[in-house]
């Protein structure tokens, strides 16, 4: 049994970035000035299933748009740490751990770019990224999903963890 599999067995909390993880990183700008992002329904289903099964799911993102916030609320994600400078993600992360008395070895974080690097390099947490994450992030992560951001990377890590814990669908 691999060390990563054993680490997946201890995960109780998933934390995801938005742009490049829950989305493909594209921001579509309309003539009205509104911007929108596209989410992948398979990722959404896995998030909802994880929450229903008792896992804690949180979001840490520098982006702070009402549409993204509404979508995550529909998915029943309660802990949304959105807005603020990219270089302050670590503060949101550490504050969340402290506030909820979380053990870092029970946390899985998925990020894709340099603003996530400081969190991802923490040795106790299970660090993951999509297949199209920047090289520096891929080099530091415990697990690189074969799926790209916004197209199944989130579902992949949720499935991996839930299968390790024998709580994914059994047919």
């Amino acid at each position: 049994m691999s060390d990563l599999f054993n680490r997946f067995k201890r995960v109780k909390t998933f934390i995801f970035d938005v742009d490049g993880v829950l989305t493909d990183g594209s921001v579509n700008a309309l003539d009205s000035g509104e911007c929108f992002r596209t989410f992948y329904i398979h990722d959404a289903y896995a998030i909802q299933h994880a929450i229903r099964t008792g896992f804690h799911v949180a979001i840490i993102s520098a982006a702070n748009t009402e549409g993204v916030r509404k979508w995550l609320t529909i998915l029943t994600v309660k802990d949304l740490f959105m807005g603020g400078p990219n270089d302050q993600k670590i503060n949101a992360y550490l504050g969340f751990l402290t506030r909820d008395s979380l053990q870092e070895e029970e946390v899985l974080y998925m990020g894709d770019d340099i603003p996530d690097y400081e969190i991802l390099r923490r040795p106790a947490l299970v660090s993951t990224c999509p297949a199209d994450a920047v090289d520096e992030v891929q080099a530091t992560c415990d697990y690189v999903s074969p799926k790209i951001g916004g197209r199944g990377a989130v579902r992949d890590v949720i499935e991996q963890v839930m299968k390790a814990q024998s709580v994914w669908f059994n047919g």
Side-chain angles (χ1 to χ4, degrees), residues 69-119:
R69 189 174 290 280
K70 284 180 181 177
W71 175 245
L72 294 167
T73 301
I74 289 168
L75 299 181
T76 68
V77 178
K78 292 181 180 19
D79 291 303
L80 305 175
F81 303 94
M82 299 173 62
N86 274 326
D87 64 351
Q88 297 301 308
K89 283 184 164 187
I90 188 69
N91 294 337
Y93 172 76
L94 294 173
F96 177 51
L97 291 183
T98 300
R99 186 195 81 185
D100 287 22
S101 301
L102 300 174
Q103 300 301 310
E104 202 163 23
E105 59 276 352
E106 296 175 346
V107 175
L108 179 147
Y109 184 90
M110 179 175 264
D112 71 307
D113 207 346
I114 299 303
D116 302 302
Y117 185 79
E118 194 171 359
I119 297 171

Side-chain angles (χ1 to χ4, degrees):
M1 205 174 293
S2 76
D3 179 53
L4 183 60
F5 181 81
N6 286 327
R7 293 183 71 203
F8 281 165
K9 288 175 81 171
R10 291 192 298 266
V11 170
K12 295 179 181 176
T13 301
F14 295 99
I15 305 173
F16 300 108
D17 179 27
V18 174
D19 292 324
V21 173
L22 283 166
T23 74
D24 68 4
S26 298
V27 176
N28 300 285
L30 302 175
D31 288 341
S32 66
E34 285 184 273
C35 296
F36 71 90
R37 291 160 173 83
T38 302
F39 293 87
Y40 192 54
I41 201 67
H42 292 194
D43 290 340
Y45 180 79
I47 288 170
Q48 288 179 311
H49 183 55
I51 291 168
R52 282 191 309 268
T53 306
F55 288 88
H56 197 178
V57 177
I59 302 298
I60 297 178
S61 176
N64 189 18
T65 62
E66 193 57 31
V68 171
R69 189 174 290 280
K70 284 180 181 177
W71 175 245
L72 294 167
T73 301
I74 289 168
L75 299 181
T76 68
V77 178
K78 292 181 180 19
D79 291 303
L80 305 175
F81 303 94
M82 299 173 62
N86 274 326
D87 64 351
Q88 297 301 308
K89 283 184 164 187
I90 188 69
N91 294 337
Y93 172 76
L94 294 173
F96 177 51
L97 291 183
T98 300
R99 186 195 81 185
D100 287 22
S101 301
L102 300 174
Q103 300 301 310
E104 202 163 23
E105 59 276 352
E106 296 175 346
V107 175
L108 179 147
Y109 184 90
M110 179 175 264
D112 71 307
D113 207 346
I114 299 303
D116 302 302
Y117 185 79
E118 194 171 359
I119 297 171
L120 290 167
R121 69 186 185 100
R122 295 181 62 83
L125 120 125
V126 180
S127 58
T128 66
C129 67
D132 57 344
V134 298
D135 293 341
E136 296 86 352
V137 165
Q138 288 191 35
T140 198
C141 281
D142 299 313
Y143 177 76
V144 178
S145 173
K147 306 287 186 175
I148 64 171
R151 298 302 292 175
V154 168
R155 167 106 177 215
D156 174 52
V157 295
I158 290 173
E159 272 192 44
Q160 295 291 332
V161 166
M162 292 181 79
K163 285 177 179 177
Q165 296 181 24
S166 301
V167 293
W168 190 250
F169 297 104
N170 296 322

